[in-house]
Amino acid sequence: MHEKTDIDPALKEGFQRCGCQLVERLLPRIVLIPEEEDSIASLIKFADEKRLRICPTGTGSSFPANYEPPEDLIFILTTRMNQLLELKLLDAIAVMEPGILAAELAKRLAGTDLD
């Protein structure tokens, strides 16, 4: 199993410029929390430049305890992006951010024709 190591300062700076917070307690896995949608777009461009792969994760994601991610893999934790953005009842459309939990969505749709 990997020991906790520091991440290259240039990568840290790049992640911050993208608007992502690095979760240091999960090193050597690189776990980032984007501040907003634009942060994800910036991060995708940055990851492409640095030849990094991205794995979106949330509270429903799990990995075996002995899982050692590849060095070029970064995880995006989207749980803070949990808002219902638009609800069009007549069209049966709900637009939401990627981190919304199914239980939270069900709660917000309760009492509508979409529940």
Side-chain angles (χ1 to χ4, degrees):
M1 186 157 207
H2 288 293
E3 302 250 343
K4 182 175 175 176
T5 57
D6 287 328
I7 292 179
D8 177 347
L11 280 180
K12 270 187 177 179
E13 184 182 320
F15 296 146
Q16 289 173 341
R17 275 196 318 269
C18 291
C20 294
Q21 174 189 352
L22 176 65
V23 183
E24 302 255 3
R25 63 187 166 76
L26 298 176
L27 293 176
R29 293 180 182 159
I30 300 176
V31 179
L32 302 171
I33 301 172
E35 298 296 323
E36 57 189 15
E37 281 181 43
D38 291 343
S39 301
I40 293 175
S42 296
L43 179 62
I44 290 170
K45 290 176 188 173
F46 180 71
D48 184 53
E49 290 171 15
K50 298 297 181 181
R51 313 284 295 159
L52 299 169
R53 294 183 285 166
I54 297 174
C55 179
T57 61
T59 57
S61 303
S62 62
F63 299 94
N66 62 349
Y67 174 66
E68 294 186 29
E71 298 272 329
D72 65 342
L73 184 64
I74 56 178
F75 297 91
I76 300 177
L77 186 62
T78 59
T79 53
R80 286 190 187 165
M81 301 175 77
N82 59 3
Q83 298 301 307
L84 179 59
L85 301 174
E86 187 176 356
L87 185 58
K88 295 181 179 181
L89 293 175
L90 294 176
D91 297 324
I93 294 174
V95 178
M96 65 217 80
E97 293 179 326
I100 196 164
L101 298 174
E104 181 62 26
L105 180 59
K107 204 183 315 179
R108 295 198 187 170
L109 295 177
T112 72
D113 291 337
L114 299 178
D115 64 349

